[in-house]
C-alpha cells in the first residue's frame, strides 16, 4: 500500500513558477483544502476548472504541475477523511531555506486561500454551526498575523507552531460540518 504524501515544497514551487501560475504551493494547498472542507466532490475532477479559473485565467496547467496538484489533493483527501483526522500544511521549510518570516507568510497565504476555497465551492456559511463560524472567525484573524522582527524569534517560532496547530483544528471543524465523507459502504466490511 503506497503512502500518499504532499509534494516537496521547493520542487512544486519551481514547477509552478516555470509554468507561470499565479499561485504558490501554500496557496494552492490552502485553496484545495478549503474546497474539500466546503464540500468539493472527492471522486471527480470538478476542482480543475475552478483552479484553472482562479490561477491561470481559465487556461489549463502543464502536466507536471497538474500531477503535483493532484498529488496534493489526494494526500489531503487521505488525511482529512482517514481515521486519524490529521492535516499537514504545505509550507516553506528549512529545505527551501525558509526563514521564520517566510514560514509565517506561507501560513497567512495558506489560511487566506483556504477561506477563498470555501468561497469557490459556494459553501453556505450562513447555515454553519456556531463552532464552524467561530473556527472561520479564528482563521480570518490568523490570516492577518505576522512576525515582528523586534520580538524574540524563538518565542515567535513556538507561537507560530501553536497557531498552525490551531489552524488544523479550525479546518477540521469546518470540514466535519461541510466536507464530503467517503462512501461508508466502502469502509464497512460485508458480513455474511
Amino acid at each position: 500500500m503506497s503512502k500518499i504524501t504532499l509534494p516537496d515544497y521547493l520542487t512544486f514551487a519551481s514547477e509552478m513558477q516555470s509554468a507561470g501560475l499565479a499561485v504558490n504551493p501554500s496557496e494552492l494547498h490552502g485553496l484545495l483544502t478549503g474546497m474539500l472542507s466546503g464540500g468539493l466532490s472527492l471522486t471527480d475532477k470538478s476542482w480543475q476548472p475552478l483552479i484553472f479559473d482562479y490561477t491561470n485565467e481559465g487556461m489549463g496547467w502543464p502536466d507536471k504541475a497538474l500531477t503535483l496538484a493532484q498529488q496534493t489533493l489526494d494526500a489531503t483527501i487521505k488525511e482529512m477523511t482517514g481515521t486519524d483526522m490529521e492535516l499537514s500544511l504545505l509550507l516553506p521549510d528549512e529545505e527551501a531555506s525558509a526563514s521564520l518570516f517566510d514560514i509565517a507568510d506561507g501560513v497567512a497565504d495558506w489560511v487566506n486561500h483556504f477561506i477563498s476555497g470555501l468561497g469557490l465551492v459556494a459553501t453556505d456559511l450562513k447555515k454553519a454551526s456556531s463552532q464552524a463560524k467561530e473556527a472561520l472567525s479564528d482563521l480570518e484573524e490568523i490570516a492577518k498575523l505576522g512576525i515582528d522582527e523586534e520580538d524574540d524569534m524563538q518565542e515567535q517560532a513556538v507561537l507560530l507552531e501553536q497557531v498552525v496547530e490551531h489552524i488544523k483544528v479550525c479546518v477540521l471543524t469546518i470540514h466535519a460540518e461541510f466536507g464530503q465523507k467517503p462512501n461508508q459502504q466502502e469502509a464497512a466490511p460485508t458480513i455474511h
Side-chain angles (χ1 to χ4, degrees), residues 43-64:
T43 58
D44 64 24
K45 303 282 186 202
S46 62
W47 63 277
Q48 289 181 0
L50 296 171
I51 295 292
F52 297 159
D53 284 345
Y54 192 85
T55 63
N56 203 29
E57 299 177 5
M59 303 298 291
W61 282 18
D63 285 343
K64 185 152 182 167

Side-chain angles (χ1 to χ4, degrees), residues 158-173:
V158 169
L159 291 172
L160 185 60
E161 283 181 38
Q162 292 171 352
V163 166
V164 167
E165 291 307 310
H166 187 64
I167 289 168
K168 294 175 183 181
V169 170
C170 291
V171 167
L172 292 171
T173 299

Side-chain angles (χ1 to χ4, degrees), residues 176-188:
E177 190 162 325
F178 294 104
Q180 288 196 4
K181 313 302 180 264
N183 186 344
Q184 297 299 324
Q185 292 178 341
E186 290 177 4

Side-chain angles (χ1 to χ4, degrees), residues 70-89:
Q70 183 69 57
Q71 182 183 348
T72 302
L73 182 68
D74 292 344
T76 306
I77 288 171
K78 185 176 180 183
E79 280 189 332
M80 295 180 79
T81 61
T83 55
D84 295 338
M85 291 281 298
E86 289 184 23
L87 179 63
S88 302
L89 304 186

